[in-house]
C-alpha cells in the first residue's frame, strides 16, 4: 500500500476545486502526514492541492524502506494523481532525496508533467564519490555509489528532462554541498529558474522573500503551460 496525504489551500477550498496539483516528495526519513496541510497554507492565494507521498516503509506505506522502491512508488503516485487531476497541471516538488523522485517522475512521464520544483537536489553518486570517498581512498565509496538505483540518478534524469523547473538552492547546505546542487542545475536540459536561499541550511523552510519568489515563479511556469 502507498499512503498519500492530501490538503487544499484556502483558495482551492473556496472555489471548490484546485487549479494546480503539487505532487510532493519529502526528504529522507520525513513524512507527508507532518507537512501536507501546513504546506497547503503556503499557497493560500492560489488554488492548490497538495499530494504528499510517504515512501515505502514510512507512515502507512507498506514494505521495507529501500532506495530501490522510491522511484517506482513515485511513478505510481503520479499515475494515481493524473487519473484524478485529468487535464489540470501537475507539478512535482521534491526536497533533498525527494528531488531524485521528482526527477524520475519527470523523466518517466515527460508528456504529462507540467513542471518541477527541486529543493537542494542531491546527485547521490557524485556526493558519495566526491564528498565521502576521499577518506577511504574510494575503496568503499565506489561500490556504494554503484548500488544507487539508476532511476534515482539526478544527473542522468536532468539531462533528459525538458519540463520547466524551479531550483531552490540553500547557500549553507551542510548535508549536500552547494557545488553538488549546481551539477544538477548545469545538467538540466529544460528551462530553469534559480532561487537562491541566502544563509539557508539543508532543512530550512522556504519563507519570506524566497516564498514570494517561488510563488511568482510557479505562476510564470503555469502561465507558459496554458
Amino acid at each position: 500500500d502507498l499512503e498519500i496525504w492530501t490538503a487544499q489551500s484556502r483558495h482551492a477550498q473556496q472555489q471548490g476545486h484546485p487549479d494546480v496539483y503539487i505532487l510532493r516528495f519529502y526528504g529522507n526519513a520525513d513524512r507527508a502526514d507532518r507537512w501536507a496541510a501546513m504546506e497547503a497554507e503556503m499557497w493560500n492565494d492560489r488554488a492548490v492541492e497538495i499530494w504528499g507521498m510517504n515512501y515505502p516503509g514510512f507512515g502507512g506505506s507498506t514494505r521495507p524502506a529501500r532506495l530501490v522502491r522510491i522511484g517506482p512508488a513515485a511513478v505510481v503516485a503520479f499515475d494515481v494523481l493524473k487519473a484524478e487531476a485529468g487535464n489540470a497541471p501537475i507539478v512535482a516538488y521534491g526536497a533533498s532525496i525527494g528531488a531524485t523522485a521528482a526527477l524520475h517522475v519527470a523523466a518517466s512521464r515527460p508528456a504529462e508533467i507540467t513542471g518541477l520544483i527541486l529543493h537542494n537536489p542531491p546527485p547521490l553518486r557524485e556526493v558519495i564519490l566526491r564528498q565521502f570517498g576521499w577518506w577511504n581512498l574510494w575503496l568503499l565509496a565506489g561500490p556504494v555509489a554503484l548500488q544507487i538505483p539508476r532511476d534515482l540518478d539526478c544527473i542522468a534524469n536532468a539531462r533528459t528532462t525538458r519540463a520547466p523547473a524551479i531550483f531552490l538552492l540553500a547557500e549553507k547546505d551542510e548535508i549536500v554541498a552547494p557545488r553538488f546542487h549546481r551539477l544538477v542545475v548545469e545538467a538540466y536540459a529544460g528551462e530553469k529558474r534559480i532561487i537562491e536561499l541566502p544563509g539557508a541550511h539543508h532543512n530550512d523552510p522556504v519563507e519570506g522573500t524566497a516564498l514570494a519568489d517561488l510563488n511568482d515563479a510557479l505562476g510564470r511556469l503555469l502561465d507558459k503551460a496554458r
Side-chain angles (χ1 to χ4, degrees):
D1 294 331
L2 190 62
E3 183 179 57
I4 297 174
W5 288 73
T6 67
Q8 288 189 342
S9 67
R10 187 183 303 120
H11 189 34
Q13 294 174 31
Q14 290 171 345
Q15 74 173 20
H17 64 85
D19 293 329
V20 58
Y21 291 84
I22 295 180
L23 180 56
R24 191 68 163 87
F25 301 109
Y26 298 95
N28 186 37
D30 214 341
R31 287 168 41 177
D33 40 300
R34 297 172 179 161
W35 295 107
M38 185 183 303
E39 289 189 344
E41 295 179 1
M42 290 170 47
W43 308 98
N44 272 338
D45 294 332
R46 191 180 297 278
V48 166
E49 183 165 308
I50 303 286
W51 281 45
M53 186 192 86
N54 274 331
Y55 301 117
F58 292 86
S61 292
T62 57
R63 306 188 74 181
R66 298 285 187 275
L67 277 178
V68 72
R69 295 196 173 108
I70 290 178
V75 173
V76 168
F78 178 86
D79 289 345
V80 172
L81 173 52
K82 180 62 180 175
E84 172 80 13
N87 293 324
I90 300 174
V91 175
Y93 184 163
S96 189
I97 200 168
T100 69
L103 276 164
H104 175 58
V105 167
S108 301
R109 300 289 185 267
E112 299 172 288
I113 196 161
T114 304
L116 292 163
I117 302 171
L118 302 172
H119 188 180
N120 299 334
L124 297 178
R125 285 192 176 93
E126 288 75 11
V127 170
I128 291 170
L129 287 171
R130 300 185 193 181
Q131 187 165 328
F132 301 109
W134 63 268
W135 61 269
N136 58 35
L137 298 179
W138 293 271
L139 296 176
L140 297 177
V144 170
L146 290 174
Q147 294 177 38
I148 300 297
R150 289 182 179 230
D151 54 16
L152 299 186
D153 187 333
C154 275
I155 300 295
N157 285 330
R159 286 173 177 157
T160 64
T161 302
R162 286 172 172 75
I166 302 165
F167 286 87
L168 302 167
L169 307 180
E171 178 189 26
K172 296 185 177 180
D173 193 329
E174 76 284 12
I175 295 176
V176 180
R179 68 181 184 276
F180 292 113
H181 305 160
R182 295 289 175 179
L183 293 178
V184 183
V185 174
E186 290 167 6
Y188 197 79
E191 180 182 341
K192 50 202 169 190
R193 177 170 177 182
I194 299 169
I195 298 176
E196 304 283 358
L197 306 176
H201 295 85
H202 187 77
N203 291 316
D204 286 350
V206 181
E207 54 191 2
T209 301
L211 181 56
D213 290 342
L214 173 57
N215 207 334
D216 176 68
L218 178 62
R220 295 186 183 189
L221 186 156
L222 294 174
D223 286 342
K224 290 183 178 180
R226 290 193 180 101

